[in-house]
Amino acid sequence: MDPRLERIVRQTFRKAGRQWAESKRAYQEGQSGGVPDALPVDEEGRAKLVCRRYAERRAVAIDDEGRPSCFDADHPDCQGCAEDVRAGVVETW
């Protein structure tokens, strides 16, 4: 293969790889972009959620990463709840 052609092909593939990585990062940041503004809140600014784990109404603070203050990283219901909060589809009251 011609060295110039090989260099052009390598550069093109590297550029495409960098663009793909940047797009993937931007998509992930967009998906986990914090807490949606549409969640109902109480007088103190806490989100009104229905707890998946205990099936009860709760008013909880939400951190910048979309996790309720009662979040337990080891429990699958809590993980699902945090994902739903970030997506804006969590059950509320």
Side-chain angles (χ1 to χ4, degrees):
M1 181 183 265
D2 180 34
R4 290 184 306 177
L5 180 59
E6 186 177 341
R7 187 180 78 240
I8 290 171
V9 170
R10 285 180 192 262
Q11 288 174 341
T12 303
F13 278 118
R14 284 186 190 129
K15 183 177 179 183
R18 285 191 298 270
Q19 288 175 339
W20 180 81
E22 176 62 25
S23 297
K24 182 178 176 183
R25 184 193 59 77
Y27 176 78
Q28 289 173 338
E29 284 181 2
Q31 290 294 312
S32 61
V35 182
D37 294 328
L39 291 177
V41 295
D42 66 1
E43 312 79 44
E44 297 175 21
R46 299 176 301 183
K48 295 175 164 183
L49 306 179
V50 176
C51 176
R52 283 177 148 195
R53 186 174 183 179
Y54 297 107
E56 64 186 16
R57 292 179 177 181
R58 291 186 177 184
V60 295
I62 306 290
D63 68 12
D64 292 336
E65 295 179 17
R67 296 180 304 217
S69 57
C70 56
F71 179 75
D72 177 2
D74 295 328
H75 200 279
D77 285 340
C78 293
Q79 293 168 0
C81 179
E83 290 172 9
D84 287 350
V85 167
R86 288 189 291 267
V89 295
V90 69
E91 188 174 352
T92 60
W93 52 279

